[in-house]
Amino acid sequence: MIKKEMIAMLLAGGQGSRLGVLTAKVAKPAVSFGGKYRIIDFPLSNCINSGVDTVGVLTQYQPLRLNTHIGIGIPWDLDKNVGGVSILPPYEKKTDTEWYTGTANAIYQNMAYMETYNPDYVLILGGDHIYKMDYEVMLDFHKANKADVTLACMPVPWEEASRFGLAITDETGRITEFEEKPENPKSNLASMGIYIFSWPVLKEALLALKDQPGCDFGKHILPYCREKGQRLFAYEYNGYWKDVGTLGSYWEANMELIDIIPEFNLYEEFWKIYTKTDIIPPQYISAEAVVERSIIGEGSEIHGEVYNSVIGPGVVIKKGSVVRNSIIMKQSFIGENVTIDKAIIAENVTVGNNVVMGVGEDVQIQALHQVLERRLGLHGIARVIQRRREGAHAEKPGHDADDGAAHAGLRGQSRGIQPVARVLVETDGAHKRDYLGSERCAEHALLREGVHAVVGDGGRRDGQLLGRHAQ
């Protein structure tokens, strides 16, 4: 019988809807990061660096690029006869065939895979965070405390604690209570979504809750284990960890890589991040090009100017173009005399000549859209009523927001628009709410997000592109 001390189950089927067009065609763990990597490279590299050589990757949403990237696991030394990496999509069963409906439900549906290795411990991971962690140290903590379940947790600022699931512990680190995004938190120890279970405990809990709709670890499995008197402990992690689930956090995490002393270091010899790399020629930087404090991928051709940016492999930036504070993913083409600022451009995008992207006051309108949706819980923005400054006419109330972005008066160079006066929000076709927004509010939203423009995979932009989401 095959026997593994600990196996990992990596949840990589998430859509990542908050990343907008970046995840329209790919799962969130397959999104590029740091030029040459994909987000899933980080947990996979953590596994092999920690001595965990059996990893099940659970996929569901748009898995093609993710599956192609992982392959048989060669870059991570996970191409093994016994163990290695396995792709685990939902599959048809004789009875009760269904998609993965929750994190714990996804693990339950792969019970047979786990039983194959008869593990002592099971490591549950998310596939969409940027961090370095030695899971072997966490396992030692689990063993030392004779724990049934160990959660990786990290301290967060008290003012942000209400955004997280929180663990309340005693002086020994044993968890006495859970709080799920409380208004008045009693703890600032936030769960990172990384768990080590003793296999018998996990198996019993999954079987007991197999009929629970949308069975989830945070909402169902952990409370069940605590109510049964199981020993739950919090393993405190104090290193770098970033959830790149929003455009703002994704852009910020990439920009941190090019700091003079980066908080997250990709150049450490003792904890390498592995990835699948293409066989492509070296980068070329022409005589007239200017590059300052940037990451430039292999196979890129730089003829213009690049400042404080992350440029992926195979990107072409033609002469006269200026790229600042932006992320351009692999195999994208930037034409001549293009100006790009604080933009995220996905893979295989073509940007024509003379495009202005992420520059101008219209950026603030989209930023207010985002802050309305995220902070006020208003979804499905139907239309925007925009008020021009003195001497300009107002947009018609029925003008659609998406169409309005293409209006000639909203070009990047236009200085005559007061960004947002009023937003009419339609949530379900019946209920409507008004929100009065000011120029100052829009500016604040913009600063919070940091991103001015986003272009999705395979997009093509000619002429002037505005500072807003583009399909």
Side-chain angles (χ1 to χ4, degrees):
M1 176 183 287
I2 301 172
K3 176 69 178 177
K4 293 285 185 179
E5 182 183 30
M6 184 165 75
I7 65 172
M9 301 293 281
L10 204 164
L11 297 161
Q15 178 178 354
S17 57
R18 292 179 298 167
L19 287 177
V21 295
L22 294 186
T23 52
K25 297 180 181 179
V26 298
K28 179 179 170 184
V31 172
S32 294
F33 183 85
K36 67 182 293 182
Y37 303 101
R38 299 193 186 277
I39 295 174
I40 199 168
D41 292 335
F42 295 88
L44 282 176
S45 297
N46 287 339
C47 283
I48 200 63
N49 288 336
S50 302
V52 180
D53 65 359
T54 303
V55 183
V57 180
L58 286 69
T59 63
Q60 181 161 280
Y61 173 80
Q62 295 279 16
L64 178 60
R65 187 174 297 174
L66 186 62
N67 293 352
T68 303
H69 180 68
I70 295 172
I72 60 173
I74 292 174
W76 306 273
D77 194 27
L78 289 172
D79 53 326
K80 300 185 179 298
N81 290 329
V82 178
V85 67
S86 300
I87 305 296
L88 303 173
Y91 57 92
E92 186 174 1
K93 309 171 186 66
K94 207 161 191 178
T95 58
D96 300 326
T97 296
E98 61 177 347
W99 292 102
Y100 296 151
T101 59
T103 54
N105 174 265
I107 299 298
Y108 167 74
Q109 291 195 46
N110 288 282
M111 188 83 76
Y113 171 81
M114 294 183 287
E115 288 178 330
T116 300
Y117 297 101
N118 190 29
D120 295 321
Y121 308 99
V122 177
L123 172 66
I124 309 293
L125 303 170
D128 51 7
H129 299 132
I130 305 299
Y131 66 105
K132 296 178 182 179
M133 179 188 284
D134 190 340
Y135 303 132
E136 191 172 12
V137 175
M138 184 176 171
L139 179 60
D140 290 341
F141 175 89
H142 182 88
K143 293 176 181 177
N145 287 282
K146 297 181 172 57
D148 296 306
V149 186
T150 297
L151 285 69
C153 299
M154 68 180 301
V156 296
W158 278 95
E159 60 271 19
E160 297 181 13
S162 59
R163 296 172 45 216
F164 298 91
L166 304 172
I168 300 170
T169 64
D170 60 20
E171 62 279 1
T172 67
R174 184 167 181 174
I175 297 172
T176 59
E177 188 180 346
F178 288 109
E179 292 183 315
E180 186 64 31
K181 299 181 180 179
E183 289 187 13
N184 300 302
K186 301 176 187 176
S187 167
N188 70 332
L189 206 56
S191 171
M192 297 168 62
I194 300 170
Y195 316 105
I196 290 180
F197 283 85
S198 296
W199 169 234
V201 173
L202 176 61
K203 183 176 181 180
E204 191 274 331
L206 291 174
L207 290 172
L209 298 175
K210 63 184 176 68
D211 296 322
Q212 173 69 47
C215 192
D216 180 84
F217 280 101
K219 294 178 182 177
H220 305 112
I221 298 294
L222 296 179
Y224 173 84
C225 291
R226 190 174 67 84
E227 289 168 7
K228 289 211 61 176
Q230 308 283 11
R231 293 173 59 83
L232 277 68
F233 280 79
Y235 170 75
E236 188 170 328
Y237 174 76
N238 289 291
Y240 181 97
W241 180 85
K242 180 81 78 171
D243 181 352
V244 289
T246 65
L247 291 172
S249 63
Y250 175 82
W251 177 84
E252 184 181 73
N254 274 273
M255 292 300 104
E256 287 172 349
L257 299 176
I258 55 176
D259 286 344
I260 295 174
I261 303 177
E263 187 177 353
F264 187 73
N265 192 347
L266 291 173
Y267 305 98
E268 293 173 333
E269 278 294 320
F270 68 91
W271 200 270
K272 293 181 179 180
I273 302 300
Y274 302 96
T275 188
K276 176 188 175 185
T277 55
D278 298 323
I279 301 174
I280 51 181
Q283 62 184 227
Y284 173 75
I285 299 176
S286 70
E288 65 270 21
V290 178
V291 177
E292 289 185 7
R293 211 173 90 170
S294 298
I295 292 174
I296 308 294
E298 296 175 318
S300 294
E301 294 182 24
I302 311 298
H303 302 273
E305 301 175 25
V306 179
Y307 304 94
N308 303 313
S309 296
V310 176
I311 309 299
V315 171
V316 176
I317 300 175
K318 302 299 282 185
K319 66 179 180 179
S321 293
V322 180
V323 178
R324 299 179 187 273
N325 310 308
S326 296
I327 303 163
I328 302 179
M329 300 182 197
K330 64 185 295 186
Q331 302 300 330
S332 288
F333 177 89
I334 311 300
E336 296 182 356
N337 303 313
V338 173
T339 301
I340 298 174
D341 187 21
K342 284 191 176 179
I344 301 173
I345 299 176
E347 299 179 26
N348 302 301
V349 169
T350 298
V351 178
N353 299 336
N354 305 309
V355 169
V356 177
M357 186 181 301
V359 179
E361 290 180 356
D362 55 290
V363 169
Q364 297 168 354
I365 296 172
Q366 181 62 25
L368 184 57
H369 285 208
Q370 295 171 348
V371 85
L372 281 168
E373 290 185 306
R374 189 178 66 255
R375 300 290 178 187
L376 303 181
L378 306 180
H379 299 283
I381 293 179
R383 52 188 180 263
V384 179
I385 304 171
Q386 292 161 344
R387 177 161 53 84
R388 293 173 181 268
R389 293 195 179 106
E390 187 176 352
H393 65 277
E395 294 289 343
K396 296 179 181 179
H399 195 66
D400 186 88
D402 289 338
D403 294 338
H407 191 279
L410 295 183
R411 296 298 186 193
Q413 285 86 348
S414 173
R415 311 301 295 175
I417 303 170
Q418 181 170 333
V420 174
R422 194 176 205 177
V423 178
L424 178 63
V425 179
E426 186 170 339
T427 55
D428 58 4
H431 301 91
K432 298 180 180 179
R433 294 171 61 182
D434 284 347
Y435 177 81
L436 294 178
S438 67
E439 182 172 354
R440 185 66 184 164
C441 177
E443 288 174 353
H444 178 72
L446 173 64
L447 291 172
R448 182 180 295 277
E449 281 300 320
V451 183
H452 291 189
V454 184
V455 181
D457 271 32
R460 184 179 180 88
R461 291 294 172 263
D462 297 301
Q464 289 188 317
L465 179 69
L466 305 169
R468 63 183 302 278
H469 290 290
Q471 298 297 329

